[in-house]
């Protein structure tokens, strides 16, 4: 009958050999996985920036088209657009930025 080698003795011989052979392989797999994950994260970030840039450009184009066609801001009937009569009704000509009835700084002190 052949001699029986206990399994733990086989493990004592095979374990260091497996460590020498498998450790670099596992290390390479983990390093490659981390590199791929970092590249994917970078690509996703760049794609998000590109989408935001595209959305901003489209919004600017829509606003420009609305301004060019005159549909930018609809005012109720009888209201004057900004910069025309009606906006400064509560101000006098001499007081460009001061509303009527409001004292300027230091005017009430003597």
């Amino acid at each position: 009958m052949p001699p029986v080698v206990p399994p733990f003795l086989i493990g004592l011989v095979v374990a260091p050999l497996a460590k020498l052979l498998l450790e670099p392989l596992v290390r390479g797999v983990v390093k490659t996985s981390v590199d791929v994950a970092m590249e994917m994260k970078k690509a996703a970030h760049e794609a998000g920036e590109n989408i935001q840039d595209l959305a901003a450009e489209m919004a600017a184009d829509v606003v420009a088209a609305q301004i060019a066609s005159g549909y930018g801001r609809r005012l109720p009937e009888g209201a004057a657009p900004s910069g025309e009569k009606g906006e400064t009704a509560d101000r006098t000509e001499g007081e460009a930025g001061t509303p009527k009835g409001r004292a300027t700084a230091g005017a009430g002190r003597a």
Side-chain angles (χ1 to χ4, degrees):
M1 193 156 163
V4 177
V5 180
F8 75 91
L9 288 178
I10 295 173
L12 287 176
V13 173
V14 173
L17 292 174
K19 181 180 177 188
L20 288 174
L21 296 174
L22 293 177
E23 185 176 3
L25 179 68
V26 171
R27 184 179 303 257
V29 167
V30 170
K31 184 177 185 287
T32 303
S33 299
V34 169
D35 289 343
V36 167
M38 294 300 287
E39 288 296 320
M40 293 298 290
K41 184 177 179 181
K42 182 180 174 184
H45 181 71
E46 288 176 1
E49 284 181 352
N50 289 340
I51 289 173
Q52 288 178 352
D53 290 345
L54 186 62
E57 288 177 16
M58 292 300 107
D61 288 347
V62 168
V63 169
Q66 286 178 346
I67 290 172
S69 65
Y71 293 112
R73 187 176 90 194
R74 300 215 180 237
L75 297 172
E77 285 188 33
S82 61
E84 293 183 13
K85 288 183 180 179
E87 181 184 58
T88 57
D90 62 341
R91 300 180 187 191
T92 61
E93 284 186 53
E95 302 171 327
T98 310
K100 249 185 180 178
R102 194 173 183 193
T104 57
R109 299 183 187 143

